Each structure stands twice: as C-alpha cells, then as structure tokens.
Amino acid sequence: LLVERLESKTDMVAKVLTDTGNHWEEAFYRLLSRHFGLSVNVEPFEWLASSTPLSLLSRHRHQLFQVEALLFGQAGLLEEPFADEYPLALAKEYRFLKHKYQLQPLDRSVWKFFRLRPAGFPTVRVAQLAALTHRETNLFSAVLEAQSVADMEALFDVSPSAYWLTHYRFDRPSVPLDKRPGEAFIHRMLINTVIPALYHYGRRNGQHDVCDAALAMLETLPPEHNKVMEGWQALGERATQAAHSQALLHLKKHYCDARRCLECPIGTSLIR
C-alpha cells in the first residue's frame, strides 16, 4: 500500500517534470510551491511558481528583498495602497522588475484568507517561500545530499524577513511571533512533496538506494494526524510512523471508499 501511494504521488512529479523540460530544480520548486498553498491555495501557488520561474528568482537570490518583491508582486499582493514603508518599498521594486522582465501578475482575488489560521495566510507562506528560495536555489540537489530527516528539517527551517515577525498581512500589526514553518508543516512537506520527488528520481534513474532512502524516511517521520487517522484509531489501528499512516490513508481512499473490496487482501479475507 505504501509503495502504491508513492507511485500514485509520482504522477504529479512526472507531470511537472515534463512541463519544465525535465529540469529537476525548476520542477521541485513548483512542487514545493504547491505545498505552500496546502489544500486552500494550491492552485494560486502553482500559478505563482509558473509565472515566476526559478531561473528568474535565481538572478536575484542574493537579495531577499528582490525575491520578495518578485513573489509578492507576481502574486498580485502589491496592487493596493499601503501605509507601511516595507510594502511600499516592495511595490516600488516590483514595478521596476515587472517592467524589466515584462511580467504579468496574478489577480489578487485568487488568494483565499477565509477560514485559515493567520499562520497559514498566503502572505506568510509567500514570505516563507521567498526566504527558502533566497537561501538555496538548488534545493533538489541539497535534498539529494541530505543524510537524514534532521538534515531535511534543517533545510526547510527558514525565517522570513523581520517585518513578518509582527505581521500576518500588510499594514496590520500583530503580536510578535516567529513565522518560521512549523514542524508539522515541514513534515507534511517531506511526506507529500519531497519524498515522492526523491522516489521518482530514484526510479527514473535506476538509483534504488535513493528509493530505499525515501522509504526509510517515511519510517522515521511521525504519523499524520487527521480525521481519517482518527477513524482508524477508533477501529483499533494506531499508526506509529508516517509509512504506516500513508498506507492506511491509501487503503481508505483507494480501496474502502472506492469499494474495491475484492481487490483488497483484507477485504477478500473478511468476505471469506
């Protein structure tokens, strides 16, 4: 079940890789961007990454302010009057870069803030993505070199610029709070984006050790906590690692919900 789930997730990896001309770094950047949108803003983040390619951000990676200007500007989040100096400066910088590269921003209305906790606002997530891209543009190479889950966690543990310490949105001060991606967010990223990409890379290039390393990481990471897993726990099935919870999620969605009992060893056992 775990391998089935990984293979189903690699379909998205293969598609994005094709869309980027088999450029692994660009494809990985787009896949990561999707994750920053979680379930609510997946498409806007996908559009943002497509309209602001890694090749463009790489030209300005040494200046976090310019990376922020490009991403916030392309997201359409700098198209309103501001009072704070920081967003005003971002908007000014973006106007210059927009003209220089002939960029077309997204419509601000595509972003959803409603029913999101402030830490998950797209403004905070874009700031985190900018910080991550600023620190390392060859992220997939860094992932391949990582030796452990701890190395992976450190790779994605970034701090946005100082403005976001006291803000969740532009011009709206808040109580100071660290806006680094939380541990749970990073773990979801590893499970749903990083590990499938690694697994597909290993299979595509015949590097079975990479596939084995991806599976081993799932055995190290803690299990997910969601309604499906609560349902399994109520039935007496408690996951102790991400490998187990991923298998149970796949079983529920692709066999139980789809009523594929006759194709499932558990289902056929029960029927007999």
Side-chain angles (χ1 to χ4, degrees):
L1 284 168
L2 176 60
V3 171
E4 272 190 35
R5 185 164 182 84
L6 271 175
E7 289 179 347
S8 68
K9 287 184 176 182
T10 60
D11 291 342
M12 172 59 70
V13 179
K15 178 185 180 302
V16 176
L17 195 59
T18 299
D19 292 343
T20 57
N22 294 318
H23 193 295
W24 273 101
E25 292 293 353
E26 188 73 42
F28 190 64
Y29 157 69
R30 293 194 187 186
L31 290 165
L32 282 180
S33 298
R34 281 177 56 87
H35 179 76
F36 274 86
L38 295 179
S39 58
V40 179
N41 285 301
V42 168
E43 288 188 340
F45 264 100
E46 185 175 8
W47 298 333
L48 175 60
S50 298
S51 67
T52 321
L54 185 64
S55 56
L56 173 58
L57 295 177
S58 297
R59 300 179 193 178
H60 301 274
R61 61 160 294 215
H62 297 294
Q63 296 291 330
L64 174 59
F65 181 75
Q66 291 184 332
V67 174
E68 289 177 325
L70 282 167
L71 287 173
F72 278 114
Q74 283 297 94
L77 296 171
L78 298 176
E79 301 292 325
E80 54 186 280
F82 297 111
D84 288 352
E85 181 179 342
Y86 169 72
L88 284 172
L90 282 178
K92 181 180 179 181
E93 183 68 19
Y94 174 66
R95 285 193 294 270
F96 168 76
L97 295 170
K98 178 184 177 183
H99 177 74
K100 179 178 180 179
Y101 296 115
Q102 297 297 297
L103 300 174
Q104 184 62 44
L106 303 180
D107 192 309
R108 187 187 184 283
S109 64
V110 301
W111 298 100
K112 297 179 179 65
F113 288 82
F114 187 59
R115 290 183 179 174
L116 280 176
R117 290 186 297 177
F121 282 174
T123 40
V124 175
R125 295 304 187 198
V126 170
Q128 292 169 346
L129 181 61
L132 183 61
T133 308
H134 163 65
R135 192 174 72 179
E136 180 60 74
T137 52
N138 295 317
L139 269 169
F140 191 66
S141 297
V143 163
L144 287 172
E145 293 173 3
Q147 299 296 313
S148 65
V149 168
D151 289 345
M152 294 281 196
E153 291 172 336
L155 186 61
F156 296 104
D157 185 15
V158 293
S159 296
S161 57
Y163 180 84
W164 298 104
L165 181 67
T166 55
H167 292 78
Y168 290 101
R169 302 180 69 167
F170 293 122
D171 285 350
R172 301 186 186 184
S174 65
V175 175
L177 187 68
D178 187 4
K179 300 301 193 305
R180 291 182 300 172
E183 183 180 70
F185 179 83
I186 293 175
H187 285 172
R188 286 196 300 270
M189 181 187 294
L190 295 179
I191 292 169
N192 296 306
T193 302
V194 177
I195 290 173
L198 276 175
Y199 189 80
H200 184 66
Y201 179 86
R203 287 188 60 194
R204 185 184 177 100
N205 294 285
Q207 297 183 16
H208 302 296
D209 57 323
V210 176
C211 296
D212 291 342
L215 290 168
M217 286 182 191
L218 287 173
E219 294 172 351
T220 304
L221 287 163
E224 296 104 310
H225 297 285
N226 51 45
K227 290 184 179 179
V228 174
M229 294 312 301
E230 288 173 4
W232 280 117
Q233 186 171 331
L235 293 171
E237 190 67 31
R238 182 187 295 273
T240 58
Q241 55 185 242
H244 194 184
S245 60
Q246 282 286 290
L248 290 172
L249 289 169
H250 191 79
L251 177 62
K252 170 73 163 59
K253 180 177 180 179
H254 294 279
Y255 287 90
C256 302
D257 291 351
R259 300 184 182 278
R260 295 172 58 197
C261 303
L262 296 179
E263 300 172 57
C264 171
I266 299 171
T268 53
S269 177
L270 289 171
I271 290 171
R272 291 193 187 102

